[in-house]
Amino acid sequence: MTSAFTTRRGFVAGSTLACSLAALPAFARSGAARLADDSPTLWYDQPAGPWIEALPLGSGRLGTMVFGRPAQERLQFNIDTLYGGGPYIQDNPKFHDALPQVRALINEERWKEANDLVSEALMGKPIKQMPFSGAGDLLLDFPGVKAAARYRRSLDLDSAIATTTFIDGSGRHRREAFCSVPDQVTVIRLEIEGDGTFDLDLGYRHPDYQPYGGFGDTQYDAHGVVFVGAPWDHRESLFAEKRPAPLVVRADGSDALLIEGRNVQAFGIPGQLRYALRVQAVGDGRIEAVGDRLQVRGARRLTLVVAGETSYVNWQDTSGDPVAAVRQRTAAAARKPFAKLRDDHLKAHRALFRRLHIDLGGQAANARTTDARIKDVPRQPDAALAAMYVQYARYLLLSSSRPGSQPANLQGVWNEVLHTPWEGKYTININTEMNYWPAGPANLSECVEPLLKLVEDLAVTGVRTARDSYGARGWVAHHNTDLWRATAPLDGPLWGMWPMGGAWLCTTLWQHYQYNPSPALLRRLLPLFKGASLFFVDTLVEDPKGRGLVTSPSMSPENNHHTDIALCAGPAMDRQILRDLFDAALAAQAQLGEDDPAFTAAVRTARARLPADRIGAQGQFQEWLEDWDSSATDQRHRHVSHLYAVYPSEQVNVRDTPALAAAARVTLNARGDESTGWATAWRLALWTRLGDGERAYKILQGLLGPARTYPNMFDAHPPFQIDGNFGGAAAILEMIVQSWGGEVHLLAALPKAWPDGRLHGVRAHGGLELDVDWQAGRLTRVRLRGPAKANVALRYLGQRITTKLDERGHARMSAADFPAPA
């Protein structure tokens, strides 16, 4: 991390202060050390240098990164719909006619010919999708700040407020920032205590353009990714000639600045979106909008409200008016007193955040800075940091995925460049699904609504791909999609020829229903499930060796079974997802009392003919129909796709399928514990579901350490991908409470490192909510809440315990109600 007084521009450094610290009031002389308490807080004793040290705020639609720099604050913005391009059709017109030949080549194992034909005739045009783009920076220059002491910056997860405090010669500065869901603005409050005042010059800077592929030429240090030749935070001069100029940056009244811009074109698709940012100032100093700057002089208290919007209406319509939207939001927010803005924000945030509490002990570690704790994880285990990792993931999810917003993408809603690594889109062969793994157990089911809306869109656009490319009914989506809901295969045959993305999203929504059963939700889900199922009823083909019905062409994401060949028929993951999809469709139909005999018969027949999972010659869980695992080109591949059946599914488990569970352990041992951030999180979840708390804990230490967690606690793929945060949090919760096989499993994978703790507000299947307490590794108390008079099956130490909720839907159990350890 950079020195406390060193930044890339505009920060006037100083090692001594113009005033004597001894002369300052008592509050200013107090240290910055944080006392241990129950409020999960990230905190630091120096400003952010690179972007991966800044602190994230979000309202679902709007994302803001706060750097906490005294002399020149940087606030970096994102708008959830600011992607490149515009409405487009990606489907390859050659697909339909080439499909039978591709299938024949796969059957004959003529791999290179099949690969070449898929590349030419089946891949989408363009072969890439549209990138999620940054919306630029507001740079806040404070000309009078020459030095700073007693510096502290923090992000309190319970309040969702980022705070920066420091002292200079004029007094004690306090700056607060939050993203308000009720007002849909970012609010920045600037105050000074003492007799001094501050001046401010505020301007806008367009984001850098990072060309696609640039992130591939990387080297890694203890904090993650560094671009060769230039670190992440020192790139303002790179690619400057490629920055598309905003349409206008101008005064918008006497106290506001308006920025209007356009999105980027990408891969031949012209930019068709307009976007706007507006910042309005309210305070006691002299405020004046001059040209492309806001100037404030002699202020003691100042509030800035910032709104951002694009012209995106939906995946077909870009006719919105972003300027009108940002004017309305900022003007409305500026009329409210700061205290009211803050209170409304706190109420909305805490209504979701305070549903769950987790305490794993070790609270004394909270007195240390967050970056120091992350750096020391391999040498100094930190139970409180693991608990905060859960709460941070919950914070990130409710900040990047709210009703009315887009779903959380590969970066949630935070990205500083115009062309994000991997386009920042929705990778639906694992990453998007992983983003929502914690939503149910972490008691944030409202955050799934944007994902449900995305799937409802894909069930429309995917009809075209199913019909025109496959000649099938229903709908399909492959391994990626974007703001424009493209559904064709992309990237190339080594990654994109996988037709299961929409199906996996459906099984993710079925899990959502398990945690939140309601007829209204089920009525929305059933058409999605039926459409996805009909596609496979029409497209499954006979395996030439008589093993049943298989998908073809497909692949086991994103693994090669022979050199440079991923194409295959009927990989294990496809068969597993289809079992869950077909079961969900039939169960939803039955629960709603709908009668569709033809659909029911077709789905039951197809499901019965899916090949069973297999154990290979090495005792491993077989990834393909053929036993190719030992000859696969990457024995430690990041994906563990064929273990979907273990987690997030429950088809394979230690209770019902011990032989397959043992084979999964063989596979996991061969794959290794260390991988990319999200892949490490998946390994953590798999070992947890298999009941091995000590192995899971070992992997968790690797995830929490500096190799896979940046100083601001963002997950390091590297570079940043948010899915590791979400997958890791879901796995930590699973170490304590699991929900599968009709039972709630308590302390199923609790490691010895967490002998005492409590987890309150965790949810389980059937609409249950639990408070779980334990001491010395043994349950001491469990409280349950759920449907009135419901029968609940628990499992603890291998024994099944049943209880019934009372007429209020409550039950309490103590240590005496559970078996003692052997």
Side-chain angles (χ1 to χ4, degrees):
M1 186 179 284
T2 58
S3 163
F5 303 116
T6 304
T7 66
R8 58 178 171 172
R9 60 187 176 276
F11 194 118
V12 181
S15 59
T16 60
L17 296 178
C19 62
S20 167
L21 290 177
L24 292 173
F27 74 82
R29 294 198 301 271
S30 63
R34 175 166 180 79
L35 298 177
D37 60 24
D38 257 357
S39 180
T41 301
L42 289 71
W43 78 275
Y44 308 82
D45 59 8
Q46 53 189 328
W51 188 83
I52 54 173
E53 296 174 1
L55 296 172
L57 307 171
S59 66
R61 289 184 177 183
L62 190 64
T64 307
M65 297 290 283
V66 181
F67 286 69
R69 296 172 177 169
Q72 187 199 56
E73 175 62 291
R74 178 187 175 195
L75 301 170
Q76 185 266 315
F77 289 90
N78 289 101
I79 305 167
D80 68 332
T81 54
L82 186 50
Y83 282 70
Y88 69 109
I89 295 175
Q90 193 180 21
D91 303 290
N92 193 321
K94 299 179 181 179
F95 194 121
H96 185 271
D97 291 342
L99 180 60
Q101 186 179 355
V102 169
R103 286 172 170 163
L105 291 170
I106 289 173
N107 287 344
E108 296 167 14
E109 299 189 3
R110 293 161 62 183
W111 303 121
K112 186 179 186 309
E113 294 171 74
N115 196 79
D116 291 346
L117 184 56
V118 167
S119 182
E120 191 270 329
L122 271 59
M123 286 294 107
K125 305 291 183 181
I127 203 168
K128 298 290 183 183
Q129 289 179 343
M130 300 301 106
F132 178 53
S133 296
D137 301 338
L138 291 181
L139 301 179
L140 283 60
D141 284 294
F142 298 90
V145 176
K146 304 300 183 184
R150 305 295 189 191
Y151 178 90
R152 183 178 186 272
R153 68 183 174 100
S154 63
L155 173 61
D156 184 335
L157 302 181
D158 180 62
S159 66
I161 295 177
T163 304
T164 303
T165 58
F166 62 91
I167 300 164
D168 73 351
S170 57
R172 182 177 188 264
H173 295 261
R174 179 179 181 85
R175 301 171 183 170
E176 289 188 344
F178 55 86
C179 241
S180 169
V181 170
D183 291 290
Q184 284 300 312
V185 292
T186 296
V187 179
I188 304 99
R189 176 70 166 184
L190 309 170
E191 297 180 346
I192 188 168
E193 298 179 30
D195 296 330
T197 61
F198 63 86
D199 298 337
L200 169 64
D201 295 318
L202 182 151
Y204 171 80
R205 186 181 65 180
H206 202 271
D208 285 345
Y209 180 90
Q210 174 56 36
Y212 182 84
F215 64 90
D217 299 323
T218 56
Q219 59 189 14
Y220 304 107
D221 64 10
H223 295 305
V225 66
V226 174
F227 279 88
V228 173
W232 275 96
D233 196 47
H234 295 76
R235 295 184 291 118
E236 60 272 0
S237 64
L238 297 181
F239 317 112
E241 73 282 358
K242 295 184 180 179
R243 295 181 191 170
L247 295 180
V248 64
V249 180
R250 61 180 173 85
D252 195 45
S254 61
D255 58 357
L257 197 67
L258 178 66
I259 300 99
E260 295 182 77
R262 297 199 69 92
N263 67 334
V264 297
Q265 71 81 30
F267 310 115
I269 305 299
Q272 299 177 48
L273 283 175
R274 295 172 295 116
Y275 76 89
L277 289 170
R278 188 175 191 266
V279 54
Q280 186 166 347
V282 180
D284 58 7
R286 179 169 57 85
I287 301 169
E288 186 178 10
V290 181
D292 61 356
R293 297 287 190 274
L294 267 180
Q295 292 183 350
V296 181
R297 295 294 181 263
R300 294 176 53 81
R301 288 172 296 277
L302 181 73
T303 302
L304 303 174
V305 291
V306 186
E309 189 56 274
T310 77
S311 59
Y312 182 86
V313 177
N314 57 50
W315 56 271
Q316 303 174 89
D317 186 349
T318 62
S319 66
D321 187 344
V323 172
V326 297
R327 280 178 173 155
Q328 185 276 324
R329 290 172 194 162
T330 51
R335 287 192 294 267
K336 297 173 69 171
F338 171 71
K340 175 64 172 172
L341 288 170
R342 194 179 194 274
D343 288 347
D344 290 348
H345 157 74
L346 289 174
K347 182 178 179 181
H349 172 73
R350 287 173 172 166
L352 272 65
F353 187 80
R354 286 188 168 180
R355 291 176 180 170
L356 183 138
H357 175 80
I358 180 170
D359 180 0
L360 302 176
Q363 297 292 337
N366 291 338
R368 303 178 65 225
T369 62
T370 303
D371 52 335
R373 295 169 70 182
I374 293 167
K375 184 178 180 180
D376 289 346
V377 162
R379 299 181 301 276
Q380 188 173 334
D382 190 336
L385 186 66
M388 189 158 71
Y389 197 86
V390 172
Q391 294 289 38
Y392 188 54
R394 296 180 69 244
Y395 167 83
L396 294 175
L397 186 58
L398 64 86
S399 298
S400 62
S401 184
R402 289 275 195 151
S405 79
Q406 295 298 307
N409 63 34
L410 281 174
Q411 280 76 37
V413 71
W414 300 281
N415 155 56
E416 67 173 334
V417 296
L418 288 177
H419 202 141
T420 329
W422 302 288
E423 292 88 53
K425 52 190 182 293
Y426 302 99
T427 300
I428 55 178
N429 69 359
I430 172 61
N431 311 99
T432 303
E433 290 86 356
M434 183 179 284
N435 284 358
Y436 290 89
W437 285 356
N443 214 332
L444 292 175
S445 290
E446 292 91 338
C447 296
V448 182
E449 174 64 21
L451 184 72
L452 174 52
K453 292 289 291 181
L454 178 143
V455 179
E456 288 174 332
D457 288 348
L458 293 177
V460 177
T461 60
V463 167
R464 179 185 59 240
T465 301
R467 179 191 65 234
D468 297 348
S469 296
Y470 289 91
R473 296 172 295 172
W475 67 277
V476 64
H478 292 79
H479 95 295
N480 267 280
T481 191
D482 58 11
L483 182 73
W484 311 108
R485 308 314 192 226
T487 54
L490 66 134
D491 289 343
L494 297 181
W495 308 276
M497 197 56 254
W498 190 68
M500 307 301 300
W504 194 354
L505 289 173
C506 284
T507 69
T508 301
L509 294 176
W510 179 244
Q511 279 293 318
H512 171 53
Y513 172 76
Q514 298 302 308
Y515 284 96
N516 305 274
S518 80
L521 175 59
L522 202 58
R523 281 191 288 271
R524 288 181 68 181
L525 296 181
L526 181 56
L528 306 177
F529 295 172
K530 291 185 72 172
S533 297
L534 282 173
F535 170 79
F536 291 102
V537 166
D538 287 357
T539 58
L540 290 171
V541 296
E542 292 284 348
D543 171 62
K545 297 182 180 179
R547 291 170 291 193
L549 294 176
V550 295
T551 50
S552 181
S554 191
M555 58 185 293
S556 187
E558 298 169 6
N559 202 4
N560 296 345
H561 53 80
H562 292 79
T563 301
D564 296 329
I565 297 297
L567 290 174
C568 67
M573 189 191 213
D574 290 17
R575 308 189 313 262
Q576 295 162 6
I577 289 176
L578 286 177
R579 290 187 203 113
D580 278 351
L581 173 65
F582 289 161
D583 288 349
L586 294 175
Q589 184 175 256
Q591 290 180 35
L592 289 173
E594 293 198 7
D595 186 22
D596 190 342
F599 174 80
T600 300
V603 169
R604 285 178 175 168
T605 298
R607 193 202 187 285
R609 299 199 59 218
L610 296 172
D613 289 317
R614 298 174 167 227
I615 299 175
Q618 309 301 314
Q620 87 283 5
F621 199 110
Q622 204 163 292
E623 187 162 359
W624 296 275
L625 273 172
E626 309 296 341
D627 193 351
W628 288 328
D629 297 68
S630 60
S631 62
T633 56
D634 185 357
Q635 295 297 314
R636 299 176 73 84
H637 197 268
R638 61 195 178 279
H639 284 259
V640 280
S641 304
H642 50 313
L643 300 187
Y644 163 93
V646 178
Y647 186 95
S649 183
E650 57 187 69
Q651 295 173 36
V652 172
N653 60 73
V654 293
R655 186 192 69 190
D656 304 321
T657 57
L660 286 172
R665 292 189 182 94
V666 172
T667 288
L668 284 170
N669 283 323
R671 279 289 208 267
D673 294 344
E674 296 180 358
S675 190
T676 61
W678 65 263
T680 301
W682 199 356
R683 284 155 170 78
L684 169 61
L686 287 162
W687 280 111
T688 299
R689 182 61 67 86
L690 291 169
D692 193 332
E694 299 311 311
R695 184 66 171 271
Y697 180 77
K698 174 179 175 290
I699 296 170
L700 176 61
Q701 295 307 100
L703 184 65
L704 292 177
R708 290 294 170 263
T709 295
Y710 288 124
N712 67 357
M713 290 188 74
F714 273 170
D715 171 70
H717 180 283
F720 165 53
Q721 271 191 205
I722 206 168
D723 36 34
N725 289 104
F726 295 136
I732 293 170
L733 294 175
E734 282 255 330
M735 295 168 84
I736 303 165
V737 174
Q738 299 181 13
S739 188
W740 53 266
E743 296 176 338
V744 180
H745 304 252
L746 302 174
L747 307 189
L750 185 74
K752 295 177 182 177
W754 303 339
D756 307 319
R758 52 183 174 160
L759 175 60
H760 291 184
V762 67
R763 289 184 67 83
H765 287 184
L768 294 173
E769 186 173 305
L770 295 88
D771 299 341
V772 180
D773 294 56
W774 67 96
Q775 292 180 357
R778 183 185 176 191
L779 280 176
T780 57
R781 185 182 70 165
V782 175
R783 292 182 177 179
L784 298 102
R785 296 174 291 278
K789 299 184 179 181
N791 293 310
V792 178
L794 307 173
R795 184 168 290 270
Y796 177 59
L797 296 178
Q799 296 190 34
R800 181 182 172 97
I801 306 106
T802 59
T803 189
K804 187 172 184 176
L805 305 186
D806 62 22
E807 63 278 359
R808 299 178 303 147
H810 292 180
R812 295 188 179 189
M813 306 177 74
S814 65
D817 297 308
F818 297 99

